[in-house]
């Protein structure tokens, strides 16, 4: 029996377990996977590398269409290249992280990346898990299932510090809240929970529990199609 194709949107702020959950769910269910944050990081990396003034939205807008960004959608080994260069490592540097909110707030950048994301989702034959901040609201408003992951700032800071091997949890917490404020208040596609999204608070759950919860939601949705 052929399984129904399912498009899953997973949104939420940093440190809620989005990437780990999305990759694991996609791998377990045989779906493609797309980390949309990596695409915004990739275009930010390109801007920084090419000396574009990050504080000048018109300068960013003027070149938003230039870099060729290609995302591999295998959940066990997702890849991302810019103009043929593997940028999986450099896009995770603090330099890029500190500038990505400014770049991704520029409407021309969002339009370019949103179009790219929609085409990848449309081409996913078996279905796809797409994670980001505006997937359920803007990129894929007709997704079969929308999930919004949340967690307390303390839980998120502890997780992110663990990922970054950082000992300063307080500084990490402040950086996360600053990023939330920037992403939630931007005019174009702010971080927001879609009205029809299922909210999952991951504060007191293990990663495995979150994965099981989301897998169950996806399987229920797939069975109902």
């Amino acid at each position: 029996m052929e399984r129904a194709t399912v498009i899953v949107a997973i949104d939420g702020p940093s440190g809620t377990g989005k990437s780990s959950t999305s990759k694991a769910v996609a791998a377990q269910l045989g779906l493609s996977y797309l980390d949309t944050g990596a695409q915004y990081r990739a275009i930010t990396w390109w801007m920084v590398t090419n000396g574009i003034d990050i504080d000048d939205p018109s300068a960013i807008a003027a070149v938003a269409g230039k870099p060729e960004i290609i995302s591999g959608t295998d959940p066990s080994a997702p890849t991302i290249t810019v103009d043929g260069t593997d940028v999986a490592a450099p896009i995770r540097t603090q330099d890029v992280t500190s500038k990505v909110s400014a770049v991704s707030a520029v409407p021309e950048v969002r339009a370019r990346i949103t179009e790219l994301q929609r085409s990848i989702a449309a081409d996913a034959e078996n279905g796809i898990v797409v994670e980001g901040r505006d997937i359920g609201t803007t990129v894929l408003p007709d997704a079969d299932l929308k999930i919004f992951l949340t967690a307390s700032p303390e839980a998120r800071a502890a997780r992110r510090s663990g990922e970054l091997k950082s000992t300063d949890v307080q500084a990490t917490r402040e950086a996360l809240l600053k990023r939330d404020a920037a992403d939630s208040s931007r005019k174009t596609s702010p971080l927001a929970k879609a009205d029809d999204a299922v909210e999952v608070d991951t504060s007191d759950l293990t990663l495995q529990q979150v994965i099981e919860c989301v897998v169950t939601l996806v399987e229920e949705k797939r069975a109902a199609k």
Side-chain angles (χ1 to χ4, degrees), residues 13-28:
S14 302
T16 51
K18 274 200 316 280
S19 294
S20 306
T21 301
S22 301
K23 274 188 275 202
V25 168
Q28 204 167 316

Side-chain angles (χ1 to χ4, degrees), residues 75 87 94 99 124 127 199:
V87 294
Q94 187 52 45
K99 296 180 170 85
E199 188 165 322

Side-chain angles (χ1 to χ4, degrees), residues 180-192:
D180 289 353
D183 290 346
S184 302
S185 61
R186 64 170 176 247
K187 290 189 177 69
T188 309
S189 306
L191 164 67

